[in-house]
Amino acid sequence: MPQPSVDQLLQNLHNNDEKLRERATQALWNTWFEQKGVVGLQRLQRAQLLLQTGQIERAIVLLDQLIAEMPDFAEAWNRRAVLYFTQQRYAAAIDDCQVVVHAIPIHFGAWSGMARCYAALNDYQQAIVAVRRALDLQPYALENQRLLLECTAQLT
C-alpha cells in the first residue's frame, strides 16, 4: 500500500475522523524525525534518552553537535528548542523554532512551541500569531485551542 503524500497527511489533519488525524500526525512526526535517516534518528533518540534521565546539558551538547554536522536537520533544531523551553530559555527556543518553520513551514510542533514560548514571555500578540499558524495546520489540537483562548483573554 503506498504511503500518503505530505499534502494528503496535511489534509487528514483537518478530517473529522480522530484516528485518521492521529495517524497523519504520527506520520508527519516520523517524516521529520527520519529526515536524516537512521543516523540522525538514533542521535535524536539518544538526546531524548539523555533528557529523560535528567542529563539535559549532555542532551544539548549532543544536539549542538548534530546541528553543526547537519544544519538542515530541522528536527534537531526542534528538539533543542524543546530542551531550551524546559530550561525556560524562551528566546533561544524561539530562535530554534524559527529555523524549523523556515525549513519546514508546515511544522505544527515548532509553531506550537514558539507560541508557548511567546506566551511564557507575556508576548501574547506573537503567541497568537504562532498558535494560529499551528491551528491552521492542525485545527483539532486542543492544547493549541486552549492556548489561543488563554492568550486572547490576556489581551482583553
Side-chain angles (χ1 to χ4, degrees):
M1 178 180 224
Q3 296 294 322
S5 69
V6 169
D7 288 339
Q8 182 62 55
L9 293 171
L10 289 171
Q11 287 177 8
N12 291 350
L13 294 177
H14 293 256
N15 195 291
N16 289 330
D17 182 342
E18 183 178 358
K19 293 211 180 293
L20 184 63
R21 290 193 313 268
E22 288 173 5
R23 286 192 304 269
T25 298
Q26 190 57 53
L28 287 165
W29 279 113
N30 289 345
T31 298
W32 299 330
F33 271 84
E34 296 169 2
Q35 175 192 359
K36 292 296 184 178
V38 174
V39 171
L41 177 61
Q42 288 175 340
R43 291 177 69 189
L44 286 179
Q45 290 170 333
R46 184 165 171 238
Q48 184 63 32
L49 181 61
L50 290 169
L51 172 63
Q52 290 171 344
T53 58
Q55 301 175 66
I56 294 171
E57 289 306 320
R58 287 185 63 199
I60 289 175
V61 167
L62 177 63
L63 290 170
D64 287 346
Q65 292 169 345
L66 185 55
I67 289 167
E69 293 169 23
M70 300 178 187
D72 61 338
F73 191 6
E75 196 54 37
W77 291 89
N78 193 53
R79 293 293 98 198
R80 189 172 70 177
V82 169
L83 287 176
Y84 286 158
F85 181 84
T86 66
Q87 294 182 310
Q88 300 180 353
R89 295 171 59 187
Y90 302 121
I94 289 167
D95 289 345
D96 280 4
C97 287
Q98 288 175 338
V99 171
V100 176
V101 299
H102 179 75
I104 304 175
I106 62 165
H107 200 299
F108 50 79
W111 285 112
S112 177
M114 194 181 323
R116 292 181 196 305
C117 290
Y118 280 125
L121 294 170
N122 299 322
D123 188 344
Y124 300 110
Q125 285 291 136
Q126 289 291 46
I128 289 169
V129 169
V131 78
R132 281 188 176 151
R133 185 64 183 113
L135 285 167
D136 286 345
L137 297 163
Q138 199 180 30
Y140 289 91
L142 293 178
E143 287 185 28
N144 288 335
Q145 291 172 12
R146 277 192 288 275
L147 182 60
L148 178 59
L149 290 173
E150 291 167 7
C151 290
T152 303
Q154 291 294 327
L155 294 178
T156 57

